[in-house]
């Protein structure tokens, strides 16, 4: 018969050890710094190719951005749920009001910044979209500092000034090279300005998405266990895998984009409407299908 611990022994137990030993907390190995950087590099490479394909589809071929985004969303979230069921089974669904609110906000932000990208690249080009992606990390740093979720360091501030200044300078030089007094040139300049604004808002949306996603993947209370064990902890009621979080978010983003397409179709009510037969047929060509598959 084992002896029960004394009150002094129980009281001397450190909080992090008590948290780690709790049966309510699940842990999984944290990725190394090298693997995290390689994953980010691979994601940047994929995204750069996506800029080119999206520009060719949305700008050159004139595919409707809402129709394209709807097709991508409808294809993406079933695949995400299938992958999550394979690698993160059993799937966790939000039960608390807080989690449901966070997933609703995550889905809305995801749909909003995807629409900003689709319309932004349609009004500009792949190079402009890639340039604005260069300032997304610094946008995230400023937004996290404003929301008091992270501290803005001097290096982050300096990189923000360099990245933002470089993008602004390249856009200014590009506009000077294309300067013309004709009405078409003025219209083109206005379209590029609107598209650039949308691409910037895409960066703000991505930053918000990352902050909200972090609240679901790393809930309060998990940091103490992480620091003591070097493993990523899943707190009670928050045991969502990263793929599951994205899959849940895509339900909200799909709803946002479908609603936007439905409103646009009702307003236009002609052959160029996002959900018209003509627009849907325009998607059934090799390049648009390749772009949708690449996006998924």
């Amino acid at each position: 018969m084992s002896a029960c611990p004394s009150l002094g022994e129980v009281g001397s137990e450190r909080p992090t050890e008590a948290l780690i030993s709790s049966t309510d907390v699940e842990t999984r190995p944290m990725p190394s710094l090298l693997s995290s950087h390689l994953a980010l590099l691979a994601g940047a490479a994929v995204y750069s190719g996506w800029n080119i394909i999206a520009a060719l589809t949305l700008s050159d071929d004139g595919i409707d951005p809402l129709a394209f985004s709807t097709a991508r969303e409808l294809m993406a979230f079933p695949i995400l749920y299938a992958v999550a069921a394979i690698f993160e089974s059993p799937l966790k669904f939000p039960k608390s009001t807080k989690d449901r609110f966070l997933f609703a906000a995550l889905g809305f932000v995801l749909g909003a910044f995807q629409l900003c990208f689709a319309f932004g690249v349609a009004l500009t080009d792949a190079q402009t979209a890639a340039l604005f992606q260069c300032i997304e990390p610094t946008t995230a740093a400023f937004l996290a500092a404003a929301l008091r979720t992270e501290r803005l360091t001097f290096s982050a501030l300096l990189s923000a000034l360099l990245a933002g200044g470089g993008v602004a300078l390249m856009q200014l030089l590009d506009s000077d090279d294309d300067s013309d007094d004709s009405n078409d040139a003025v219209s083109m300049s206005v379209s590029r300005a609107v598209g650039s604004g949308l691409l910037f808002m895409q960066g703000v949306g991505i930053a918000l998405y990352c902050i909200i996603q972090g609240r679901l993947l790393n809930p309060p209370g998990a940091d103490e266990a992480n620091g003591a064990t070097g493993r990523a902890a899943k707190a009670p009621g928050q045991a969502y895998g990263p793929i599951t979080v994205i899959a849940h978010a895509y339900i909200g983003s799909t709803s946002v984009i479908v609603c936007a397409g439905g409103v646009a179709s009702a307003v236009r009510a002609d052959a160029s409407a996002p959900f018209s037969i003509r627009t849907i047929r325009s998607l059934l060509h090799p390049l648009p299908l390749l772009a949708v598959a690449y996006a998924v």
Side-chain angles (χ1 to χ4, degrees):
M1 182 175 181
S2 60
C4 295
S6 65
L7 290 176
E9 293 172 337
V10 173
S12 63
E13 185 179 23
R14 290 184 294 179
T16 53
E17 292 177 349
L19 178 63
I20 298 164
S21 61
S22 172
T23 57
D24 292 332
V25 179
E26 303 174 23
T27 60
R28 66 182 189 275
M30 292 187 70
S32 65
L33 186 61
L34 176 60
S35 62
S36 299
H37 286 174
L38 289 175
L40 290 173
L41 181 61
V46 170
Y47 226 124
S48 62
W50 159 236
N51 290 335
I52 298 172
I53 294 177
L56 289 173
T57 304
L58 298 172
S59 181
D60 296 349
D61 280 8
I63 301 298
D64 186 270
L66 279 171
F68 176 82
S69 298
T70 301
R72 176 187 58 193
E73 301 297 296
L74 292 176
M75 288 184 62
F77 84 83
I79 295 175
L80 284 169
Y81 272 115
V83 174
I86 294 172
F87 294 101
E88 297 175 354
S89 182
L91 294 179
K92 305 292 183 180
F93 292 91
K95 296 181 180 179
S96 66
T97 303
K98 178 183 177 181
D99 284 7
R100 290 170 181 168
F101 173 79
L102 287 175
F103 274 114
L106 194 67
F108 176 81
V109 171
L110 177 62
F113 81 67
Q114 287 182 344
L115 286 177
C116 285
F117 173 80
F119 282 98
V121 77
L123 294 173
T124 56
D125 50 46
Q127 182 180 358
T128 303
L131 286 175
F132 275 95
Q133 285 168 8
C134 294
I135 64 173
E136 286 175 6
T138 52
T139 304
F142 274 107
L143 193 58
L147 296 175
R148 297 183 178 181
T149 59
E150 293 182 11
R151 186 171 60 90
L152 182 63
T153 62
F154 175 76
S155 59
L157 178 61
L158 180 61
S159 65
L161 293 174
L162 291 174
V167 170
L169 181 60
M170 293 185 71
Q171 290 294 97
L172 181 63
L173 292 175
D174 184 62
S175 63
D176 288 342
D177 292 339
D178 296 336
S179 60
D180 194 348
D181 294 333
S182 66
N183 291 333
D184 290 342
V186 173
S187 178
M188 178 86 57
S189 178
V190 172
S191 296
R192 288 187 64 85
V194 173
S196 296
L198 290 172
L199 290 173
F200 176 76
M201 291 306 299
Q202 179 215 9
V204 175
I206 290 176
L208 277 174
Y209 179 90
C210 293
I211 292 172
I212 299 172
Q213 185 184 47
R215 299 288 295 178
L216 291 163
L217 293 175
N218 300 295
D223 291 339
E224 296 176 350
N226 294 347
T229 63
R231 298 169 70 85
K234 293 181 179 181
Q238 303 274 353
Y240 304 110
I243 303 175
T244 302
V245 169
I246 299 174
H248 289 341
Y250 260 82
I251 293 181
S253 66
T254 302
S255 302
V256 169
I257 292 174
V258 168
C259 288
V263 171
S265 297
V267 170
R268 286 194 234 170
D270 56 18
S272 64
F275 296 160
S276 66
I277 299 298
R278 176 184 173 184
T279 304
I280 294 174
R281 284 178 177 173
S282 68
L283 289 170
L284 302 178
H285 291 88
L287 184 58
L289 290 176
L290 174 62
V292 171
Y294 193 102
V296 172

